[in-house]
Amino acid sequence: MLATNGLNLYVDEAQYWYWAQALDWGYYSKPPVIAALIAGTTSVCGDSEWCVRSGSLLLYPLSTWLLFLVARKLFDARVALLAAVLFFTLPAVSLSSILISTDVALFFCWTLALYAFVFALDSDSLDDWILLGVALGLGMLSKYTMGIFLVSALMYVFVARRWDMLRNPKAWVAVLVMLLIFAPNLWWNWQHDFPTFQHTADIAAGTGGGTLHWDEFGEFIGGQFGVFGLVLFPLFLWVIVRGKVKHKTLLLSFALPFFLIIAMQALFGRANANWAAPTYVTATLLVAGWWQGRWKTFAVALAINVLLGLLVYHPAPLNHLLKTDVQKRLKGWGAIGQQYLAIQQQYPDAILLSDGRDVLSELVYYARPQGLRGVSWNPHNQLRHHYDLVTTLADKVGKDFLLVTPGAPPDGLPAHFANMQQVGTLEADIHPSWRLHYNVFLLKAFRGLVSP
């Protein structure tokens, strides 16, 4: 499916690929695991879209297997099979499996941490506690919301009155291992004035200004039907309130905090529906544990999720119904890249320039300018995205550039160059309601950023 769907990389995916060309302990908006994962897969099978995304094909089956083992430990083999089938057919997993995102590694690390925690509760083996620390550390290097796992563990300690865990030195070994693994990213952030933390804090703060955004909250809650399933999400809510399930305290401790934290973020600012996705690792276990013997409702829920998954892979009926192209943001950039490359070949010494993260990410991947030379137009030294962090105009006085912009050049830009002329346009028609259009300007002899 990944090799034949013809979908271009989304902006974030192209940016992650760019990161993978220069591995580091951190990047502007995310920790380093996503870049390391892409570097690993592309070193084996090349830089095609399907290979960039192939980490999903590796980690989701592993996550499902770990979930099976946790369910078998807490319940039995039958519930474990139910949980594995449900998880692998979740709409969120179906969608995420054709892309590469930080959720792929987060799902895996969260599930691995849950596996280690559940087994450590039973065995108190140092190996299980160390494995928990490794999973937590790698999770924090995948996405900072992995830290909610610690909140969940504390919730379990207090609700289940497992005070002995706080006195267990092996549990603190797990915390120490986590911190040791996470430390290089902390060091990278310290060296760069904590851009990833600031970006994460800005997202968490949203645009609320202290006001309540009930529209965003409603959109987030409605989105959970598409993340977990039209039947599974309301059933999950019912099980929380009324359902009788073994280990309910444990499982709710690792489901509710994540869900409630992201829901509050939606209420006070903004939150995408998928941001609460790790909730559904233990939510799947809860529902599977309740579902024993209720085969008719299980079959209905499974059929609906499979249907939603098929619509992800083959969205033509959905496109017809909605009169749009739901994959429009994953199309057209290959053509745009080839058009830009034809212009670049006429001006081989000119450097790609843009003030948009989307343009820089997509063209660096699809046009591959020599040396991946793409520079952010950032005259006021802002920090808006990764290209502001790692590219500079300070050492490029006298150089020529090819500016790619969706409209007119940014205000004040022409005065910083000896000459400017439009040399082409980049266009791709995706759908009657969606097209890509960019103007390309040749900028001669950069004069520097000092006001002319």
Side-chain angles (χ1 to χ4, degrees):
M1 179 65 195
L2 285 182
T4 60
N5 63 20
L7 298 178
N8 292 161
L9 296 184
Y10 182 58
V11 171
D12 288 347
E13 295 177 293
Q15 178 180 250
Y16 299 152
W17 175 86
Y18 176 76
W19 293 354
Q21 310 314 301
L23 292 179
D24 206 340
W25 282 108
Y27 302 92
Y28 168 75
S29 60
K30 297 290 187 298
V33 160
I34 183 68
L37 179 61
I38 292 173
T41 58
T42 54
S43 69
V44 174
C45 53
D47 291 310
S48 63
E49 289 100 333
W50 79 266
C51 192
V52 172
R53 293 166 168 154
S54 61
S56 297
L57 299 181
L58 296 173
L59 292 187
Y60 274 125
L62 291 175
S63 299
T64 305
W65 173 243
L66 288 169
L67 191 71
F68 174 88
L69 296 177
V70 173
R72 190 174 64 178
K73 177 73 172 178
L74 296 177
F75 299 98
D76 55 41
R78 183 171 60 177
V79 173
L81 182 59
L82 286 178
V85 171
L86 284 176
F87 181 78
F88 205 66
T89 56
L90 291 183
V93 173
S94 297
L95 176 60
S96 187
S97 64
I98 65 170
L99 306 171
I100 188 68
S101 72
T102 51
D103 286 342
V104 175
L106 178 63
F107 257 131
F108 173 74
C109 293
W110 187 277
T111 311
L112 180 61
L114 182 67
Y115 167 90
F117 186 81
V118 167
F119 276 75
L121 287 178
D122 180 57
S123 69
D124 197 33
S125 165
L126 182 60
D127 289 345
D128 289 331
W129 287 111
I130 290 175
L131 179 60
L132 174 61
V134 171
L136 290 171
L138 292 177
M140 290 296 293
L141 292 180
S142 301
K143 199 170 183 178
Y144 292 155
T145 46
M146 185 71 195
I148 298 175
F149 194 99
L150 295 176
V151 177
S152 294
L154 286 174
M155 178 176 173
Y156 174 71
V157 167
F158 283 98
V159 174
R161 299 184 180 278
R162 289 292 308 269
W163 313 115
D164 58 297
M165 293 179 61
L166 297 178
R167 299 189 298 270
N168 188 342
K170 297 175 185 176
W172 292 104
V173 168
V175 174
L176 177 61
V177 170
M178 177 197 74
L179 292 175
L180 289 174
I181 294 174
F182 184 46
N185 180 252
L186 292 173
W187 174 250
W188 181 92
N189 270 280
W190 184 81
Q191 290 180 308
H192 296 83
D193 296 324
F194 294 92
T196 320
F197 282 79
Q198 184 59 53
H199 173 75
T200 304
D202 290 343
I203 291 176
T207 58
T211 61
L212 300 181
H213 292 249
W214 291 105
D215 55 337
E216 293 284 349
F217 180 78
E219 184 176 332
F220 170 78
I221 296 298
Q224 303 314 300
F225 289 89
V227 173
F228 197 40
L230 297 177
V231 173
L232 290 184
F233 180 60
L235 181 59
F236 167 55
L237 298 180
W238 185 89
V239 171
I240 290 174
V241 179
R242 300 289 299 276
K244 295 182 179 180
V245 184
K246 286 174 60 179
H247 306 292
K248 186 175 180 179
T249 297
L250 172 66
L251 296 176
L252 282 182
S253 295
F254 286 91
L256 282 181
F258 212 119
F259 180 80
L260 293 176
I261 288 171
I262 305 301
M264 289 301 99
Q265 183 175 337
L267 182 61
F268 287 99
R270 182 184 67 87
N272 293 338
N274 67 295
W275 290 0
T279 295
Y280 300 114
V281 173
T282 45
T284 299
L285 295 173
L286 271 168
V287 171
W290 176 85
W291 232 325
Q292 295 184 75
R294 300 174 174 90
W295 297 107
K296 289 184 180 180
T297 51
F298 172 79
V300 170
L302 182 62
I304 290 174
N305 277 6
V306 170
L307 177 61
L308 291 174
L310 289 174
L311 288 175
V312 168
Y313 301 133
H314 305 285
L318 198 57
N319 291 338
H320 179 75
L321 178 66
L322 300 176
K323 300 187 185 323
T324 187
D325 186 341
V326 297
Q327 296 175 334
K328 59 182 180 287
R329 298 180 187 275
L330 302 173
K331 296 180 179 179
W333 283 107
I336 293 290
Q338 289 305 305
Q339 294 169 32
Y340 173 81
L341 188 58
I343 297 173
Q344 175 80 75
Q345 289 170 348
Q346 299 175 44
Y347 310 98
D349 295 328
I351 302 170
L352 170 64
L353 179 69
S354 181
D355 62 352
R357 178 180 73 97
D358 54 347
V359 171
L360 289 169
S361 297
E362 297 285 9
L363 289 186
V364 165
Y365 179 79
Y366 282 105
R368 311 280 170 90
Q370 185 178 6
L372 301 182
R373 294 187 306 168
V375 180
S376 174
W377 175 250
N378 184 26
H380 304 297
N381 291 317
Q382 298 172 287
L383 190 55
R384 304 159 298 177
H385 47 65
H386 188 71
Y387 302 96
D388 285 343
L389 183 66
V390 300
T391 69
T392 180
L393 288 164
D395 59 350
K396 296 177 176 62
V397 174
K399 300 290 187 181
D400 297 341
F401 292 85
L402 284 172
L403 171 69
V404 181
T405 179
D411 291 341
L413 180 144
H416 293 278
F417 295 86
N419 179 264
M420 180 183 76
Q421 67 178 106
Q422 185 168 352
V423 293
T425 58
L426 313 176
E427 295 181 313
D429 292 318
I430 312 302
H431 186 267
S433 64
W434 186 266
R435 68 194 298 261
L436 300 176
H437 177 90
Y438 295 92
N439 297 319
V440 184
F441 296 87
L442 176 64
L443 309 174
K444 301 284 289 185
F446 178 52
R447 293 170 172 167
L449 291 176
V450 177
S451 298

